[in-house]
């Protein structure tokens, strides 16, 4: 008796069709656009809260910190660079009201 072995036939691998790549790129772009919008909304809310804290002097009286950056680093989970940037913008918000308003909306 002889045994026959067969090799399974598989479909040839083809490169993705251009329209599939375009659809994939559009889906990724949509995801990134939505994420960026959410992140920017949260950044604006954080900045508005820190500006209010600075304007009201709450960082000193209620939190016991003279430096906003130190407060943001100590009490919240901000990186050094992010805390420094937020604190700098909050400190200058009174001088540059229109820019601060634009950053928080």
């Amino acid at each position: 008796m002889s045994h026959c072995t067969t090799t399974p036939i598989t479909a040839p691998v083809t490169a993705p069709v251009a329209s599939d790549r375009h659809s994939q790129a559009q889906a990724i772009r949509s995801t990134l656009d939505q994420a960026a919008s959410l992140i920017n909304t949260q950044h604006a809310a954080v900045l508005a809260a820190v500006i209010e804290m600075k304007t009201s002097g709450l960082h000193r009286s209620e939190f016991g910190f003279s430096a906003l950056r130190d407060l943001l680093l100590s009490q919240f989970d901000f990186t050094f660079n992010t805390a420094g940037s937020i604190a700098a913008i909050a400190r200058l918000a009174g001088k540059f009201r229109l820019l601060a308003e634009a950053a928080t909306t």
Side-chain angles (χ1 to χ4, degrees), residues 24-102:
Q24 182 182 16
Q26 292 296 37
I28 290 170
R29 180 181 185 88
S30 176
T31 298
L32 292 173
D33 281 342
Q34 290 172 2
S37 178
L38 291 170
I39 290 167
N40 289 335
T41 299
Q42 292 303 307
H43 284 180
V46 166
L47 185 56
V50 174
I51 290 171
E52 178 63 29
M53 183 188 322
K54 167 73 171 131
T55 303
S56 301
L58 296 174
H59 62 294
R60 292 176 191 268
S61 65
E62 300 301 315
F63 291 95
F65 284 84
S66 60
L68 286 171
R69 185 196 68 216
D70 293 343
L71 167 65
L72 296 173
L73 286 171
S74 173
Q75 302 295 306
F76 306 99
D77 193 24
F78 290 108
T79 64
F80 184 83
N81 288 338
T82 301
S85 296
I86 292 169
I89 294 168
R91 277 193 311 274
L92 295 170
K95 185 174 182 179
F96 300 103
R97 291 184 195 276
L98 289 176
L99 292 175
E101 185 178 327

